[in-house]
Amino acid sequence: MKKPYVCVIGGSNVDITCTSFTKIKTKDSNPGIATLSCGGVSRNIAENLARLGANVVLITVLGNDSNAHMIEQNAKSVGIDISQSLVVDEQSSCYVSINDVDNDMFVGVSSMNILDRLTPEFLSSKLDVINGAECVVTDTNIPKCLDFLIENVKVPIFLDTVSAKKTKIANDKIKNVYCIKPNEYEAEILSGIKVSNEQSALNACKKITERNIKTVFISCGESGSYCYQNGVFNRVPFFKTDVVNTTGAGDSFMAGVVYGYIKGMGVKKSAQFAAACSSITVASMDTVCKDLTVQKAVDIVNKNA
């Protein structure tokens, strides 16, 4: 594997994204368009990082089906090293997202039981690889592994909280990491504070850092984002664009945060770069935008300076 590198640990899915041509009518067939792509929060973050030019090692779990082959081919095409991943005789993860006519998610269904095979015992055999990275990125899809990673990883950990439901499940395990990226709903679960404006976001960030978390980025969609580290708090606006598909926006934001860290951008500049990555992503039908580049993100930041 190429050094230096970022180690990403978590799930990989095949995503089926369906978008209705008209307002969704429940219990009925809705005409629309469907796309098939690789997904999974950690895998998405890994691909975004690879498209930004980072060396990435992805530790995930794959089945023995066509979905796994699709994920493997994608990793090869963008330069993600998945040689450390676990392969088992099961069905690979699949995620279905149904988007309303306004391109925002109406409902999603995940089939991710295979992630239970990603265990502390397996990860313990990969500690040399994990601790050889510049930093580690993981998510709450593998709550059984969080305690192990927090106790054994010696490099900075970046944690994506994924969803309100996953945050609730892993709430007592979320602590002692370098950086966390919740949205406003997940931040409320972590802090007990409803995030509705700058002051409440600041209060939530302060509360979250009491968990021995150094850096907090709260992403709030088109309302922008907030970042906090060592008592310094900033709001970063969302860079407006024509929204096509919001699925994957948070994953590209997290990739932007991690990329900013490994390039020494500082927290506010990392948040601006991450917001630009997110803006590029939501303007694409794909969960991970194939046109994402560092230069495009930098151009958006400079244009809005």
Side-chain angles (χ1 to χ4, degrees), residues 99-281:
N99 295 340
D100 214 332
V101 65
D102 59 1
N103 295 306
D104 211 355
M105 185 190 294
F106 182 79
V107 68
V109 178
S110 59
S111 174
M112 303 175 67
N113 291 338
I114 194 173
L115 282 182
D116 291 339
R117 300 292 294 272
L118 205 57
T119 63
E121 289 75 21
F122 172 73
L123 292 179
S124 67
S125 68
K126 305 295 180 180
L127 273 179
D128 286 348
V129 173
I130 295 169
N131 281 320
E134 289 183 274
C135 61
V136 167
V137 187
T138 190
D139 62 54
T140 54
N141 280 317
I142 50 171
K144 295 179 181 178
C145 297
L146 282 183
D147 286 341
F148 172 82
L149 291 173
I150 289 167
E151 291 172 5
N152 292 278
V153 172
K154 308 303 181 186
V155 297
I157 296 175
F158 288 71
L159 177 63
D160 192 302
T161 46
V162 178
S163 69
K165 183 176 181 180
K166 298 289 176 67
T167 303
K168 286 180 181 178
I169 293 172
N171 196 359
D172 63 335
K173 300 176 182 293
I174 298 174
K175 56 189 174 182
N176 304 329
V177 297
Y178 176 82
C179 177
I180 192 168
K181 187 212 67 74
N183 64 21
E184 64 265 51
Y185 308 110
E186 296 148 14
E188 181 179 351
I189 293 168
L190 294 170
S191 67
I193 298 168
K194 182 177 178 61
V195 177
S196 56
N197 53 37
E198 287 194 32
Q199 185 59 53
S200 59
L202 172 58
N203 294 339
C205 286
K206 288 180 176 178
K207 191 68 176 178
I208 291 170
T209 58
E210 291 178 5
R211 295 170 176 248
N212 194 29
I213 296 172
K214 183 175 182 179
T215 312
V216 181
F217 293 85
I218 301 179
S219 59
C220 301
E222 293 188 19
S223 297
S225 60
Y226 303 95
C227 55
Y228 182 87
Q229 185 188 76
N230 296 332
V232 179
F233 175 78
N234 288 285
R235 178 184 179 274
V236 174
F238 173 77
F239 300 127
K240 291 185 178 180
T241 188
D242 293 328
V243 176
V244 176
N245 177 24
T246 59
T247 303
D251 305 333
S252 60
F253 187 97
M254 182 58 144
V257 165
V258 175
Y259 186 85
Y261 169 79
I262 64 176
K263 295 300 180 180
M265 289 184 187
V267 173
K268 184 178 180 180
K269 287 186 177 180
S270 293
Q272 292 171 330
F273 182 82
C277 291
S278 181
S279 178
I280 293 168
T281 299

Side-chain angles (χ1 to χ4, degrees), residues 30-156:
N30 294 265
I33 187 171
T35 60
L36 189 68
S37 61
C38 294
V41 171
S42 285
R43 197 221 63 86
N44 290 346
I45 294 169
E47 183 178 344
N48 278 296
L49 280 166
R51 291 190 180 280
L52 290 170
N55 294 320
V56 184
V57 174
L58 173 63
I59 299 178
T60 187
V61 56
L62 299 171
N64 59 353
D65 50 15
S66 59
N67 284 356
H69 179 70
M70 182 177 174
I71 292 168
E72 290 166 353
Q73 290 300 111
N74 171 269
K76 183 177 180 180
S77 70
V78 298
I80 300 172
D81 182 346
I82 60 169
S83 63
Q84 304 299 318
S85 295
L86 176 66
V87 179
V88 297
D89 189 20
E90 292 183 23
Q91 180 182 352
S92 297
S93 289
C94 182
Y95 178 74
V96 180
S97 174
I98 309 297
N99 295 340
D100 214 332
V101 65
D102 59 1
N103 295 306
D104 211 355
M105 185 190 294
F106 182 79
V107 68
V109 178
S110 59
S111 174
M112 303 175 67
N113 291 338
I114 194 173
L115 282 182
D116 291 339
R117 300 292 294 272
L118 205 57
T119 63
E121 289 75 21
F122 172 73
L123 292 179
S124 67
S125 68
K126 305 295 180 180
L127 273 179
D128 286 348
V129 173
I130 295 169
N131 281 320
E134 289 183 274
C135 61
V136 167
V137 187
T138 190
D139 62 54
T140 54
N141 280 317
I142 50 171
K144 295 179 181 178
C145 297
L146 282 183
D147 286 341
F148 172 82
L149 291 173
I150 289 167
E151 291 172 5
N152 292 278
V153 172
K154 308 303 181 186
V155 297

